[in-house]
C-alpha cells in the first residue's frame, strides 16, 4: 500500500442504505488503486458543531489554525487534515445536507479559514475533495431546486481545500417495504425500477470517482 489516505464521511444515520452504499462504492474504487481509505459514520461520533470559542484564531494561541475542542471529533479532524483526500456524503434532509454534516463542515473548515485579506487557507494540505449527495427527488427537480444549496454547502470546502467533485444518487429508495408506510406522492413500482436500473449506475459512478481520486493524489 502506498502511504496515502482518503477519508469518506457518511452523514446519514443509516449504515446500510443509499448514502452508505455510495460511500462503500467510492471506497472500493479507491482501494482498486491500492490506496488506503476509511469510512467514518458521523452518527457514531459524539460531537456538536463549532462552539465559537475562537481558539483557532487566537494570536499566538497553541491551537491556532486547528479545532482543539475536546470531544470525539477532534482527533479525527487532525487525521483528516493530514490525509490526501476527503469525501463528504450526505442525504438531503429538508432541502439541505444533514444537520450533523453541517456541524462537521463547520469544525473541519473554519479553523483553516484565516481572517486576513482574501481569506487565505491555512490548511496543512490542499486535500482532494468530493461530495456525494443522495436524495428522494428526481434529477430534474434537483437541478431546479438545489444548485444554490450545493454551492453554499461546498463554499468552505472549496475555499480551504479544493473544488469538490459532485456525485449524485437521485430518486432514492427510502423504505424497505413501501406498503407499510403512508406514501401517496411516489409510485412504489417507479421507485423500485429506478433502484434496480439507475442506482447501480450511481454506485459505479462513485466507484469510478474513487479510483480517479486515488490516481490523482
Ligand atoms: C428527515 C428527512 C428529510 C428529508 N428531506 C428530503 C428533501 O428535502 N429532499 C429530498 O430529495 N429528499 C429528502 N429526504 C429523503 C432522503 O434524502 C433520501 O431518501 C436519501 O437518499 C436517504 O439516504 P439514506 O438512504 O442514506 O438514509 C429526507 C429524508 C428524511 C429522513
Amino acid at each position: 500500500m502506498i502511504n496515502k489516505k482518503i477519508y469518506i464521511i457518511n452523514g446519514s444515520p443509516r449504515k446500510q442504505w443509499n448514502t452508505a452504499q455510495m460511500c462503500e462504492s467510492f471506497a472500493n474504487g479507491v482501494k482498486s488503486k491500492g490506496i488506503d481509505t476509511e469510512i467514518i459514520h458521523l452518527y457514531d461520533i459524539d460531537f456538536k458543531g463549532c462552539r465559537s470559542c475562537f481558539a483557532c484564531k487566537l494570536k499566538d494561541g497553541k491551537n491556532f489554525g486547528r479545532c482543539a475542542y475536546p470531544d470525539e471529533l477532534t482527533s479525527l479532524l487532525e487525521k483528516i487534515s493530514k490525509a490526501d483526500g476527503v469525501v463528504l456524503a450526505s442525504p438531503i434532509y429538508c432541502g439541505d445536507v444533514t444537520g450533523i454534516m453541517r456541524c462537521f463542515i463547520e469544525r473541519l473548515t473554519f479553523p483553516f479559514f484565516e481572517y486576513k485579506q482574501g481569506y487565505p487557507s491555512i490548511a496543512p494540505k490542499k486535500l482532494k475533495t468530493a461530495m456525494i449527495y443522495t436524495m428522494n427527488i428526481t434529477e430534474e427537480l434537483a437541478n431546479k431546486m438545489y444548485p444554490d444549496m450545493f454551492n453554499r454547502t461546498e463554499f468552505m470546502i472549496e475555499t480551504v481545500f479544493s473544488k469538490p467533485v459532485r456525485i449524485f444518487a437521485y430518486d432514492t429508495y427510502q423504505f424497505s417495504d413501501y406498503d407499510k408506510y403512508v406514501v401517496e406522492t411516489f409510485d412504489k413500482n417507479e421507485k423500485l425500477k429506478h433502484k434496480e436500473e439507475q442506482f447501480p449506475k450511481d454506485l459505479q459512478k462513485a466507484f469510478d470517482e474513487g479510483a480517479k481520486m486515488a490516481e490523482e493524489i
Side-chain angles (χ1 to χ4, degrees):
M1 282 251 173
I2 305 160
N3 195 19
K4 298 206 168 191
K5 185 151 184 174
I6 295 172
Y7 281 92
I8 304 170
I9 313 298
N10 177 21
S12 169
R14 303 200 287 185
K15 291 187 191 173
Q16 316 280 339
W17 279 72
N18 301 283
T19 317
Q21 288 178 45
M22 293 288 279
C23 292
E24 282 289 340
S25 235
F26 192 101
N28 289 337
V30 173
K31 286 186 230 162
S32 75
K33 299 293 174 187
I35 298 291
D36 188 17
T37 185
E38 187 176 343
I39 298 174
I40 307 286
H41 299 283
L42 280 187
Y43 277 80
D44 283 350
I45 306 175
D46 189 10
F47 77 101
K48 289 192 167 59
C50 175
R51 312 274 181 147
S52 202
C53 73
F54 290 117
C56 64
K57 311 239 178 287
L58 188 68
K59 278 181 194 166
D60 302 322
K62 71 177 178 358
N63 292 317
F64 185 83
R66 55 192 286 265
C67 179
Y69 190 85
D71 64 14
E72 285 183 23
L73 191 68
T74 315
S75 62
L76 176 66
L77 294 174
E78 191 75 20
K79 286 191 249 174
I80 293 172
S81 72
K82 292 175 186 154
D84 301 280
V86 65
V87 181
L88 275 54
S90 181
I92 300 305
Y93 278 9
C94 308
D96 213 323
V97 292
T98 51
I100 202 167
M101 179 55 79
R102 284 228 51 91
C103 290
F104 177 76
I105 292 171
E106 290 168 12
R107 297 278 300 275
L108 178 69
T109 60
F110 187 68
F112 302 142
F113 185 77
E114 215 179 1
Y115 278 177
K116 284 187 178 169
Q117 283 307 322
Y119 299 101
S121 168
I122 51 169
K125 284 170 94 174
K126 290 279 186 174
L127 309 187
K128 287 268 174 203
T129 59
M131 304 295 298
I132 296 174
Y133 299 104
T134 80
M135 65 203 80
N136 180 50
I137 63 169
T138 61
E139 178 171 5
E140 192 190 10
L141 209 47
N143 285 339
K144 280 190 197 140
M145 290 173 66
Y146 293 156
D148 289 349
M149 181 270 286
F150 297 139
N151 290 336
R152 185 170 37 76
T153 299
E154 293 164 15
F155 172 74
M156 287 294 277
I157 311 282
E158 181 171 351
T159 302
V160 304
F161 297 129
S162 61
K163 188 172 178 57
V165 169
R166 288 181 185 169
I167 306 160
F168 297 99
Y170 304 102
D171 206 357
T172 53
Y173 206 70
Q174 289 193 80
F175 311 107
S176 48
D177 182 352
Y178 272 71
D179 289 333
K180 285 190 183 159
Y181 299 88
V182 180
V183 185
E184 293 178 357
T185 43
F186 329 109
D187 182 286
K188 69 173 179 181
N189 295 318
E190 284 299 316
K191 279 282 182 193
L192 188 60
K193 187 163 175 270
H194 192 90
K195 178 186 175 219
E196 287 174 349
E197 290 176 8
Q198 181 58 41
F199 193 55
K201 294 179 191 160
D202 300 334
L203 292 173
Q204 183 62 45
K205 167 82 174 156
F207 181 98
D208 293 344
E209 290 296 344
K212 197 164 160 218
M213 186 184 282
E215 277 179 338
E216 286 172 357
I217 59 175

